Amino acid sequence: MNRLFKQLRLAGAVIGLACAVSTAHAETYPDRPVTIIVPYAHGGVTDLYARSIGDYLGRHWNTQVIVDNKGGAGTMIGTQHVSRAKPDGYTILLTSYAFTSNPILRKDLNYDPGSFEPVMLLGNSRSMLVVNSQSELKTLDDVIAKGKQSPGNLKFASSGNASSPHIAAELWAKEVGVTITHVPYKGTAPAMNDLYGGLVDGIFDGPSSINSVRAGRLRALGIAHDTRHPAAPEVPTFKEQGIDLVFGSWFGFLAPKGTPQPVLQKINRGLNDAIKDPQVRGVLDKAGLFVSGGTPKEFADFLAYESKRLQGLVDAGVQLVVQ
């Protein structure tokens, strides 16, 4: 009995010491630069969000917040990097839909999806089909006609395999009965460059593309939303045009699993404060993001819902699996 009592006292002391160290770490965090990993190429909308929020956090935490773009392999390069990072709060991930789709759709996943701690859901967007303004595809009917006349000749770009633009394109193609060729890139920016250059026919991007539409570089043909988007009220929904498609991406912050809870809470508070800042909010609103915020638990529940919904599509026979 005495031996058991001593073991319990020792275990309690160890737990107490760990809690004390964790609390002390949170009180001084961050005392050195923090890195936000963006698993997409520089210049895309995820990069835009990271840099705007990173600037805010840097000012209010009184330390440098670095945005590091590690695009490629359908976000797996950057995501794997964070999964292997030290769980101390100094390396966090800002990612999007591929985080939920990759574990379901990819056979070559190079990280454990369970090696992350949800921190905060930044927000949601909606997919908008845009084509080059100089393209012969002037209406949605033109796009559908091309897809039916020459199966596979209709090329849709995306920010990577299993990304939301990829899933949106496949769901749209299934809904209208055409065969497309999917062209993945390391992020939205390089995909857009090839769209501007006429190398691909279109992309399902977020409402942030409306700025290029209004500048005369792109033409918007439809948006996958229940109603017209407030950031792009001139763009008709797919439902208005007889296509039952509501779909979009999400954006959120995660940290390596094992990051102390007090540190996660401090990061969460900083992020929630950031999205209330008028300058940051202006960037998010202009890009057409429906801003969320909230707790790590709420984000965890959201991720579980998104995974279940996509798995349901796969189980129903929708061909989305990435080889």
Side-chain angles (χ1 to χ4, degrees):
M1 182 66 72
N2 287 340
R3 183 178 180 184
L4 176 61
F5 181 69
K6 289 179 180 179
Q7 288 176 334
L8 290 174
R9 285 182 60 188
L10 178 61
V14 170
I15 292 172
L17 178 61
C19 290
V21 170
S22 177
T23 302
H25 178 42
E27 289 176 353
T28 60
Y29 175 90
D31 56 8
R32 55 189 172 87
V34 175
T35 299
I36 299 175
I37 299 295
V38 174
Y40 298 101
H42 176 79
V45 67
T46 315
D47 181 57
L48 174 70
Y49 298 157
R51 293 181 187 279
S52 177
I53 291 172
D55 285 346
Y56 174 91
L57 293 176
R59 294 194 305 271
H60 287 75
W61 283 345
N62 196 31
T63 190
Q64 186 179 13
V65 176
I66 302 163
V67 176
D68 187 3
N69 298 85
K70 292 186 180 297
T75 75
M76 291 199 301
I77 293 175
T79 305
Q80 181 193 57
H81 178 86
V82 177
S83 75
R84 296 177 174 178
K86 187 176 181 180
D88 56 8
Y90 287 94
T91 303
I92 57 179
L93 177 71
L94 173 56
T95 189
S96 61
Y97 190 81
F99 185 81
T100 43
S101 62
N102 275 340
I104 296 172
L105 303 181
R106 300 193 70 108
K107 297 179 179 180
D108 58 345
L109 199 67
N110 60 0
Y111 58 87
D112 177 7
S115 60
F116 294 89
E117 301 274 6
V119 181
M120 189 194 79
L121 175 64
L122 177 58
N124 293 270
S125 187
R126 282 290 179 252
S127 296
M128 184 169 71
L129 175 58
V130 291
V131 300
N132 190 307
S133 62
Q134 303 304 311
S135 169
E136 61 182 10
L137 305 175
K138 300 187 182 303
T139 67
L140 198 57
D141 286 340
D142 290 340
V143 181
I144 296 171
K146 180 174 181 177
K148 290 185 175 180
Q149 289 168 3
S150 305
N153 194 39
L154 187 61
K155 298 178 181 178
F156 280 162
S158 83
S159 53
N161 280 321
S163 64
S164 63
H166 176 198
I167 306 301
E170 299 288 0
L171 291 176
W172 177 87
K174 180 178 182 293
E175 188 67 31
V176 301
V178 302
T179 300
I180 66 169
T181 294
H182 170 232
V183 185
Y185 291 81
K186 291 184 177 182
T188 302
M192 281 295 184
N193 286 338
D194 275 6
L195 180 58
Y196 294 141
L199 299 179
V200 292
D201 293 301
I203 186 173
F204 279 83
D205 194 32
S208 57
S209 288
I210 198 64
N211 296 322
S212 293
V213 173
R214 290 168 181 161
R217 302 187 71 185
L218 297 176
R219 181 183 296 121
L221 302 182
I223 191 165
H225 196 37
D226 286 316
T227 59
R228 296 200 178 198
H229 197 291
E234 66 269 44
V235 182
T237 67
F238 287 118
K239 283 192 172 184
E240 289 177 61
Q241 302 177 78
I243 301 170
D244 188 14
L245 179 62
V246 175
F247 184 80
S249 186
W250 57 263
F251 301 85
F253 290 88
L254 299 104
K257 191 171 185 63
T259 301
Q261 287 299 315
V263 173
L264 287 176
Q265 292 297 331
K266 193 164 188 177
I267 298 172
N268 176 268
R269 287 195 300 271
L271 292 172
N272 275 291
D273 289 342
I275 61 176
K276 297 173 186 174
D277 176 73
Q279 185 175 342
V280 174
R281 193 57 179 260
V283 171
L284 304 180
D285 289 344
K286 188 176 180 180
L289 188 71
F290 292 110
V291 180
S292 296
T295 67
K297 174 63 167 56
E298 288 169 337
F299 188 22
D301 291 343
F302 173 84
L303 291 173
Y305 167 78
E306 284 294 304
S307 295
K308 183 178 180 180
R309 184 170 74 153
L310 179 58
Q311 186 64 58
L313 290 177
V314 174
D315 293 344
V318 178
Q319 298 300 310
L320 298 171
V321 176
V322 179
Q323 300 300 323

